[in-house]
Amino acid sequence: MICINNLTKVYKLTRKQMQEQKTKKNMKKAVDQLSLKAVPGEIYGLLGPNGAGKTTVLRCVATLLKPTDGSISVGGIDTLDKSEEIRKKISFLTNEIKLDPQFSAKYMFNFFGRLHGLDEAAINERREYLFNYFGIKGFEDKKIDELSTGMKQKASLAVSLVHDPEIVIFDEPTTGLDIVTARSVTDYLKLLKEEGKTIIISTHIMTEAEKLCDRIGIIIDGRLVMEGTLDEILKDTNTADLEDAFFELYKQNSREEACI
Amino acid sequence: MKNGTKNIIKKELTRVFTDKKLILSLFILPGVLIMVMYSIMGNLIDNMVSDIGDHVPNVYIQNSPEGLEDAIQAAGFKANINYLKASDETASVQDSIKAGDTDLLVVFDENFMDTIYAYSGNGDAIPEVKTFYNPSEEYSSTARDSFVNSALQAFRQTLLAERVGNVEQLQIFYIDKVPESSVVMDEGKATGKSLSMLLPFLINILLFQGAMSLGVDAITGEKERGTLSSMLLSPIKRREIVNGKLISLAILTSLSAVIYVVSVVIGIQNLQGGSMGDISKLRFSPVELVQLLTILLVLVYLFVAVVAFVAVHARTQKEAATYVLPMYIVVMLASIMTMFSGGADKGIKYFALPIYNSCLCIQNLLVGELTIQQYGLTIGTLALLAFLVSALVTKAFNSEKVMFNA
């Protein structure tokens, strides 16, 4: 389970970043008093435009960033207390995190398996299962550099799941993927849900959120402006589909910039 | 050692040693190039020397005294000699020497022999032989040296013998009749002395160069490619990742430095025809060997940590290369300072200056004069600094601002 309580994350901007963002303030509130809960056996979707703070929330959950204020508990452990323990339980995948292109998918899988403290037998068994599922088996000895974009993404996904984590965090899972690869990724997320894993994803693709997520949290300018199932959101916003609901909420909640 | 660290070391070494192109560009090519470069330089110098030896100089002699020709022949001085009379103009010959076309002009005083024979002592005139040559021309200065030291010397000896009868009367005593037997030295120490000027400098800059080229790619490169983040997500402490990176870099740097140093030493020996001394004559006691290895080990770790500290703060490899350059210059300066210190005994306080002290230590080790205090202070300061810098690297790895620009 993931429990986020009043998470606030403030970034200090460099002079260059201040110029780029055309602001005179040297602080930017990327996430503002955000609370949510993702439970086992569901896919929770964070929906929001670019720069809304989705990635920051997920990075805080994955212990890569520390909250400025508020707290996050992952699998019952506070992220500030035992980050290594949390990293044993989670898988975090984003397009920005990549596998070393000079190694084969097999080498990378074994390497991260060892870093997670798995023995060789467990690594081999897990690799057989995941590589077969994602169709990587025939390419497992090829260098990551030589794989297609879709195959690279599937290899990254398989490697991130080497330790059979109970919590899966996925930042923009289908961005940049072709339709076939995207489908295999979303299908696997559904499978993980059936296995009782806790899954939280971020997306700005409405159809993906509609089809995949059990509950959706809409995040605009760092604040969670609405949360619920698709039906609840449509009902509350009195709209026919998620896109309309999103724009309705965007009109009500968007502000020029989230600076303090 | 923690498992995480071990796995990272193994991965980093595998990355280099399974990449043929990397092995070639990191280890083989630089070593071969250094040796080839020095061998070519050696050959060129040999060619130059033999060319000077083969050259037959153009020499003009004015007022040549009687008997000089015989002395020239007896001394084996080979040259195209033109004899000038007292009335001949020598300005054009001097111009020709300046232009490099003529090598030497020798002017004997007029009535040279008469003046010599008229000498009876007590302030009588002594004639002069005046030479004109061009020191900026190798042919000219060699011709002058050869003429003065062989032909003219032989001619003077002949005249001396005529004047005093028995030349031995003037000898009074000999100095080193067999010069080779006068040399009493420890060949190992002599070799150490000649190596001690260059080797510490080379070791320092080559070690830093290795750390620089490998470290920037292993840290900034991984950060830039997004592959470091995947390691940061694994359930190990950042300290383990830093240790894994630093130790693997230290191993690779040491290896490349060994190859570079061996290539340079072999290259220089080829270049100088062995005048650097025979390396096989160098003898280290087991204690000295341990001292040398520990100094190098701590130095490598320090360099790797310094490069890692710079590399982790840079966003791109280009930026890292720019940041690391001033460090390289500092290392170079500290090393160059010891090259020209002239082997003077240094006070113990100099052994507290990191990097400079490692050069001094290696210098003293090569001549067998390193004291335990000097060694202890050097190791202590280097290790302390390496520890502090690696702690700063770990701090940077823990910083979300540095790692994720957050």
Side-chain angles (χ1 to χ4, degrees):
Chain A
M1 189 192 293
I2 299 168
C3 288
I4 303 179
N5 292 312
N6 294 318
L7 171 68
T8 298
K9 181 68 189 174
V10 178
Y11 290 137
K12 207 173 169 186
L13 299 180
T14 59
R15 203 162 286 181
K16 196 179 168 191
Q17 286 168 325
M18 283 159 68
Q19 279 173 355
E20 281 167 3
Q21 298 183 17
K22 292 175 186 158
T23 176
K24 286 181 179 168
K25 294 168 182 172
N26 65 351
M27 303 286 237
K28 181 181 161 109
K29 202 180 255 185
V31 182
D32 187 4
Q33 297 275 312
L34 183 141
S35 297
L36 64 82
K37 193 180 276 185
V39 296
E42 77 163 7
I43 299 179
Y44 187 102
L46 266 181
L47 181 69
N50 289 339
K54 305 183 298 287
T55 301
T56 302
V57 172
L58 297 188
R59 282 182 171 185
C60 286
V61 174
T63 75
L64 293 179
L65 299 180
K66 292 185 178 77
T68 309
D69 202 10
S71 66
I72 304 169
S73 143
V74 179
I77 306 167
D78 191 289
T79 51
L80 290 176
D81 280 352
K82 291 176 182 169
S83 53
E84 281 104 48
E85 285 303 309
I86 290 179
R87 291 202 288 270
K88 276 183 191 164
K89 293 171 185 279
I90 63 165
S91 157
F92 180 51
L93 202 66
T94 145
N95 281 333
E96 290 160 28
I97 296 178
K98 297 188 177 84
L99 297 176
D100 205 323
Q102 284 174 315
F103 288 106
S104 66
K106 187 178 175 181
Y107 188 94
M108 279 283 104
F109 192 93
N110 296 354
F111 171 68
F112 281 104
R114 284 184 212 114
L115 284 190
H116 276 280
L118 303 183
D119 61 40
E120 294 302 310
I123 293 172
N124 290 340
E125 190 188 327
R126 196 76 191 133
R127 195 184 62 237
E128 282 295 306
Y129 167 68
L130 287 169
F131 278 18
N132 280 324
Y133 181 89
F134 289 111
I136 309 168
K137 189 74 186 157
F139 308 93
E140 66 176 9
D141 291 319
K142 273 197 153 192
K143 280 185 180 178
I144 304 278
D145 209 19
E146 294 163 0
L147 299 179
S148 66
T149 313
M151 197 56 81
K152 271 182 200 162
Q153 183 74 345
K154 286 199 275 189
S156 296
L157 180 58
V159 169
S160 76
L161 295 167
V162 56
H163 54 304
D164 197 11
E166 58 183 81
I167 292 154
V168 176
I169 306 159
F170 220 145
D171 191 12
E172 312 263 359
T174 57
T175 301
L177 296 184
D178 66 76
I179 192 161
V180 180
T181 317
R183 186 58 181 259
S184 73
V185 171
T186 52
D187 282 350
Y188 193 73
L189 286 176
K190 285 177 189 164
L191 187 71
L192 288 171
K193 181 180 100 171
E194 282 164 24
E195 287 175 8
K197 314 279 187 195
T198 307
I199 300 152
I200 183 167
I201 67 163
S202 77
T203 184
H204 58 263
I205 305 167
M206 303 294 160
T207 48
E208 190 172 83
E210 277 176 342
K211 284 184 183 170
L212 194 61
C213 303
D214 299 298
R215 283 191 305 132
I216 299 164
I218 295 177
I219 180 169
I220 294 168
D221 289 337
R223 286 171 299 130
L224 193 72
V225 296
M226 184 163 282
E227 186 188 48
T229 61
L230 180 62
D231 290 342
E232 285 166 355
I233 291 172
L234 295 183
K235 197 177 160 194
D236 284 355
T237 52
N238 199 20
T239 49
D241 61 29
L242 189 58
E243 193 170 317
D244 290 345
F246 176 78
F247 278 107
E248 186 58 36
L249 290 166
Y250 192 73
K251 264 192 287 180
Q252 291 169 20
N253 294 284
S254 176
R255 54 186 172 181
E256 275 294 299
E257 52 182 14
C259 298
I260 56 168
Chain B
M1 197 187 289
K2 292 275 177 77
N3 264 342
T5 304
K6 267 190 219 165
N7 279 320
I8 291 168
I9 295 173
K10 202 174 152 195
K11 182 204 139 205
E12 294 294 321
L13 297 183
T14 308
R15 192 168 79 91
V16 172
F17 290 116
T18 51
D19 189 337
K20 283 179 197 158
K21 281 183 194 162
L22 215 55
I23 296 173
L24 194 72
S25 66
L26 275 178
F27 303 118
I28 299 173
L29 216 52
V32 171
L33 280 179
I34 288 169
M35 279 197 276
V36 168
M37 189 179 79
Y38 281 111
S39 298
I40 291 174
M41 278 167 69
N43 276 338
L44 290 176
I45 291 171
D46 280 351
N47 286 346
M48 194 177 83
V49 170
S50 64
D51 178 49
I52 292 167
D54 292 345
H55 176 72
V56 180
N58 292 319
V59 179
Y60 284 81
I61 300 174
Q62 192 175 37
N63 304 326
S64 174
E66 195 184 322
L68 178 69
E69 273 186 67
D70 294 340
I72 288 172
Q73 273 191 357
F77 177 74
K78 287 199 171 55
N80 300 319
I81 302 175
N82 298 293
Y83 293 96
L84 303 176
K85 291 177 194 154
S87 56
D88 289 340
E89 185 54 55
T90 59
S92 61
V93 180
Q94 287 184 40
D95 287 343
S96 173
I97 290 173
K98 198 185 266 182
D101 299 329
T102 299
D103 302 307
L104 180 66
L105 167 66
V106 185
V107 179
F108 286 80
D109 278 354
E110 276 187 73
N111 306 317
F112 184 82
M113 295 307 282
D114 293 343
T115 316
I116 287 172
Y117 291 138
Y119 182 84
S120 60
N122 299 331
D124 285 354
I126 297 174
E128 184 191 3
V129 182
K130 176 85 181 154
T131 63
F132 296 88
Y133 72 108
N134 185 348
S136 67
E137 294 284 341
E138 286 288 344
Y139 289 157
S140 179
S141 51
T142 309
R144 194 255 181 191
D145 287 348
S146 173
F147 182 78
V148 169
N149 294 329
S150 60
L152 218 47
Q153 189 64 19
F155 186 49
R156 182 153 63 180
Q157 286 295 106
T158 314
L159 293 177
L160 262 178
E162 280 179 29
R163 181 178 288 175
V164 298
N166 185 2
V167 183
E168 278 184 12
Q169 277 188 333
L170 295 174
Q171 189 67 42
I172 314 288
F173 59 80
Y174 292 106
I175 302 170
D176 296 337
K177 285 171 99 171
V178 188
E180 296 78 24
S181 66
S182 304
V183 179
V184 181
M185 70 169 181
D186 176 343
E187 281 195 55
K189 193 168 171 177
T191 304
K193 193 90 192 160
S194 58
L195 280 174
S196 73
M197 186 166 162
L198 197 62
L199 209 56
F201 166 75
L202 280 177
I203 287 174
N204 257 3
I205 61 159
L206 293 178
L207 276 183
F208 197 83
Q209 221 169 46
M212 214 162 70
S213 58
L214 290 160
V216 168
D217 180 66
I219 294 178
T220 322
E222 284 227 33
K223 208 173 134 188
E224 212 179 350
R225 292 191 289 269
T227 51
L228 196 60
S229 311
S230 27
M231 243 188 271
L232 299 179
L233 275 165
S234 51
I236 54 171
K237 290 196 183 302
R238 301 282 157 90
R239 175 87 239 169
E240 289 177 55
I241 301 176
V242 172
N243 282 343
K245 284 276 179 193
L246 295 189
I247 294 171
S248 55
L249 279 174
I251 294 170
L252 293 168
T253 301
S254 308
L255 193 62
S256 73
V258 166
I259 293 170
Y260 286 10
V261 170
V262 168
S263 319
V264 169
V265 169
I266 294 174
I268 286 178
Q269 284 213 310
N270 287 342
L271 175 70
Q272 305 203 342
S275 66
M276 284 291 289
D278 186 353
I279 304 292
S280 62
K281 296 262 171 29
L282 267 184
R283 288 278 178 271
F284 288 121
S285 70
V287 174
E288 284 174 330
L289 208 58
V290 169
Q291 285 177 332
L292 182 66
L293 289 177
T294 44
I295 291 169
L296 292 180
L297 214 63
V298 182
L299 194 64
V300 167
Y301 205 79
L302 172 64
F303 283 169
V304 162
V306 167
V307 170
F309 178 73
V310 175
V312 77
H313 283 88
R315 284 177 203 173
T316 60
Q317 292 198 61
K318 203 175 157 191
E319 200 178 294
T322 314
Y323 292 163
V324 89
L325 200 63
M327 306 272 179
Y328 184 49
I329 292 169
V330 169
V331 170
M332 247 180 155
L333 273 179
S335 317
I336 286 173
M337 273 160 65
T338 55
M339 268 181 94
F340 303 106
S341 60
D345 276 345
K346 290 273 180 276
I348 190 78
K349 63 182 180 210
Y350 289 97
F351 289 83
L353 295 173
I355 302 169
Y356 181 68
N357 60 6
S358 69
C359 277
L360 288 179
C361 263
I362 298 168
Q363 269 188 334
N364 282 2
L365 253 180
L366 287 167
V367 292
E369 287 171 0
L370 183 67
T371 67
I372 197 75
Q373 287 90 346
Q374 292 169 345
Y375 168 73
L377 192 57
T378 302
I379 284 287
T381 47
L382 289 176
L384 182 68
L385 194 63
F387 175 77
L388 288 177
V389 180
S390 64
L392 288 176
V393 177
T394 309
K395 200 176 169 210
F397 266 71
N398 275 313
S399 157
E400 53 188 48
K401 180 89 193 157
V402 174
M403 299 316 286
F404 298 103
N405 195 23

